[in-house]
Amino acid sequence: MNDWPEGWSGGNRGDEYGRGSANAQPESARVMRQVRRGPQAPPYGAGVPPQPSYTGGQGYDEGQNGYGQGGYDNNGYDGYNTGQVYGGGGPGGPQGPDGGRGPRRAPNWRRRIKWTAITLVTLLVVTSVATYFWADSKLNRDVDLSKVIDRPEAGDGTNYLIVGSDSREGLTAAEKKKLHTGSAAGKRTDSMMILHVGDSGDTLISLPRDSNVTIPSYVGSTSGKTYQNTGRQTKLNAAYAEDGPTLLVRTVEYNMGLHIDHYVEIGFNGFADIVDAVGGVTIDIDKGFKDSYSGADFKAGKQTLNGEEALAFVRTRHAFAASDLQRTKNQQKFLSALAHQVATPGTLMNPFKLYPTLGAGLDSLSVDKDMSLWDLASMFWAMKGVSGGDGTSMNMPISGSTGGNLVWDKAKVKTLVNELNNDQKVTVSGN
């Protein structure tokens, strides 16, 4: 009985693996012969690239030596004569120059730029929002203007009352000595200004602390008791010393007839900290002066003042013949220079300067309960505009003095207030 498949019997067995005899075949070859390869087997050509031909008596030529008959004829296997080798040589094969990964795709720069831009914008928005809420939380909204009674009607534009107090709160004995503040208890106002922000130009008006004013009827900020107007006249800064910000606002409104929308106050220490945080403020001093009371000792010319020097500059009045009037002019000049310095790209674009400056400023400010960061920013940019020549800075018009107090020129003040209420360009000049 013949156990071999058709085409594998008889004399063909000796030639299946070349030209040797059957006895010369390896054992593995004889075992492999017993696997039937019929037409039903799937062709290797379905997924295997053509392989090289071994012709010339070496084994796999078509139709010879047992592989051209039966199972290994032309049923899809003639591709073995094409000369191609499975898995080799091509760029995508294992022997390709890139190890089989194929050619590397060029980077999509448009896509990269797009996503980089989206990431930067997102980061900017998140940082801005976080900074806003951080800064908003640091505002000390402890002045309640709702306690001010009998207020004049509000006009066009926005009016800020900006106050620099001589509060020593938080200062050590060494700091008081260094800043020449003295050790007086309580708080007084060393500077008072009204900033009007409107469409017809911004106006900064200094109110001399020695201005002669009438203390009107008012409700005590802590007692809630009503104090009637007795016609008592005193210096403007005495109103602040008597009952704080609310009485000061009430007194300014009563004597001017101008509605105050927002209140902003800063003390000695906070002022010096802001100047130091911004890296000093450059200012041009027209004429040198000294003052043992404030510690001022300045030569004429352009110079950069640190916090201690800046505080001495804005507080000095005894060195000037015009006393408080000259001091208010110096205060305006310095505050405008400070606003300009803070608004430079070197501060705004440098987080190592911006955040310490914001922190120092916001920590030291006392504002009214309705003040927002947008209101504060509007005030700041208006002051910067005034320093750049886009607005007007002036002292309150003065007609004379009485008992050492400066008397306002009532006619000019009335015209000034009317122009501010109607948001008109100011035509009145001050002293």
Side-chain angles (χ1 to χ4, degrees):
M1 180 177 179
N2 188 357
D3 294 331
W4 298 96
E6 183 181 353
W8 286 29
S9 60
N12 292 336
R13 287 186 296 170
D15 298 325
E16 288 174 354
Y17 287 89
R19 302 186 182 278
S21 66
N23 293 333
Q25 298 180 54
E27 180 64 20
S28 59
R30 292 197 299 271
V31 173
M32 288 176 63
R33 286 179 179 177
Q34 300 182 34
V35 179
R36 182 177 181 85
R37 302 290 183 178
Q40 72 275 13
Y44 282 92
V48 180
Q51 299 298 308
S53 172
Y54 298 96
T55 59
Q58 300 301 316
Y60 293 91
D61 190 29
E62 178 183 341
Q64 298 179 10
N65 301 326
Y67 285 87
Q69 305 292 328
Y72 288 82
D73 55 6
N74 289 337
N75 295 328
Y77 298 94
D78 54 345
Y80 283 95
N81 293 325
T82 63
Q84 298 184 22
V85 180
Y86 173 60
Q95 298 178 14
D98 55 358
R101 292 188 298 269
R104 190 171 184 177
R105 296 175 61 186
N108 190 333
W109 288 108
R110 180 176 296 180
R111 182 181 178 87
R112 290 188 180 185
I113 292 172
K114 172 186 173 182
W115 282 107
T116 300
I118 291 175
T119 301
L120 291 176
V121 170
T122 302
L123 181 62
L124 178 61
V125 170
V126 171
T127 302
S128 299
V129 171
T131 299
Y132 177 87
F133 283 104
W134 167 77
D136 188 73
S137 68
K138 296 180 76 66
L139 272 181
N140 301 309
R141 298 182 174 92
D142 49 13
V143 178
D144 189 357
L145 295 183
S146 67
K147 295 181 178 180
V148 181
I149 62 172
D150 301 331
R151 309 188 68 183
E153 292 185 5
D156 296 331
T158 304
N159 299 316
Y160 298 83
L161 180 59
I162 305 169
V163 174
S165 76
D166 64 356
S167 171
R168 282 83 172 168
E169 186 177 351
L171 293 176
T172 64
E175 289 172 330
K176 291 176 182 178
K177 183 177 180 180
K178 177 183 178 182
L179 298 175
H180 299 272
T181 64
S183 299
K187 294 194 298 183
R188 284 151 295 276
T189 52
D190 261 19
S191 62
M192 289 163 284
M193 301 178 187
I194 292 175
L195 175 65
H196 174 82
V197 179
D199 295 333
S200 298
D202 305 320
T203 305
L204 185 62
I205 309 163
S206 286
L207 309 177
R209 56 174 262 172
D210 293 338
S211 297
N212 190 76
V213 294
T214 299
I215 300 296
S217 299
Y218 70 96
V219 175
S221 59
T222 55
S223 67
K225 180 180 177 181
T226 299
Y227 298 88
Q228 297 296 331
N229 180 2
T230 62
R232 176 167 55 99
Q233 295 187 332
T234 185
K235 293 181 178 181
L236 182 58
N237 69 333
Y240 180 92
E242 186 172 326
D243 200 44
T246 54
L247 180 54
L248 177 61
V249 170
R250 168 72 176 130
T251 302
V252 170
E253 290 187 341
Y254 177 83
N255 286 269
M256 286 188 68
L258 182 71
H259 182 89
I260 300 298
D261 298 290
H262 292 294
Y263 178 90
V264 181
E265 177 186 329
I266 187 169
F268 280 165
N269 196 35
F271 180 81
D273 287 345
I274 293 174
V275 175
D276 286 335
V278 82
V281 175
T282 301
I283 192 169
D284 193 356
I285 299 177
D286 300 328
K287 185 178 180 180
F289 59 88
K290 291 184 179 182
D291 182 17
S292 59
Y293 291 93
S294 66
D297 186 3
F298 299 106
K299 296 180 179 180
K302 183 175 290 187
Q303 50 206 285
T304 300
L305 308 185
N306 61 26
E308 178 185 348
E309 295 166 336
L311 188 60
F313 180 80
V314 300
R315 293 184 61 221
T316 297
R317 64 174 179 142
H318 295 285
F320 311 123
S323 187
D324 204 32
L325 291 177
Q326 181 60 44
R327 174 165 67 173
T328 57
K329 292 179 181 179
N330 286 346
Q331 290 169 348
Q332 287 184 354
K333 183 175 184 177
F334 186 84
L335 289 178
S336 296
L338 174 60
H340 180 76
Q341 179 70 26
V342 172
T344 59
T347 300
L348 295 178
M349 303 302 291
N350 183 352
F352 297 103
K353 272 192 174 183
L354 176 62
Y355 284 97
T357 302
L358 285 175
L362 296 172
D363 277 340
S364 58
L365 290 179
S366 291
V367 300
D368 65 271
K369 293 184 181 298
D370 295 326
M371 175 76 82
S372 69
L373 282 180
W374 298 115
D375 295 322
L376 197 62
S378 176
M379 182 195 80
F380 172 80
W381 286 108
M383 291 187 67
K384 179 180 180 294
V386 169
S387 70
D390 295 332
T392 301
S393 61
M394 58 181 289
N395 272 332
M396 199 68 167
I398 304 297
S399 62
S401 63
T402 177
N405 296 349
L406 300 173
V407 179
W408 294 349
D409 188 321
K410 292 183 179 180
K412 288 186 176 182
V413 170
K414 184 177 180 179
T415 301
L416 173 63
V417 171
N418 184 65
E419 291 173 341
L420 295 178
N421 278 332
N422 291 288
D423 199 14
Q424 300 173 343
K425 186 171 181 62
V426 172
T427 60
V428 177
S429 61
N431 296 76

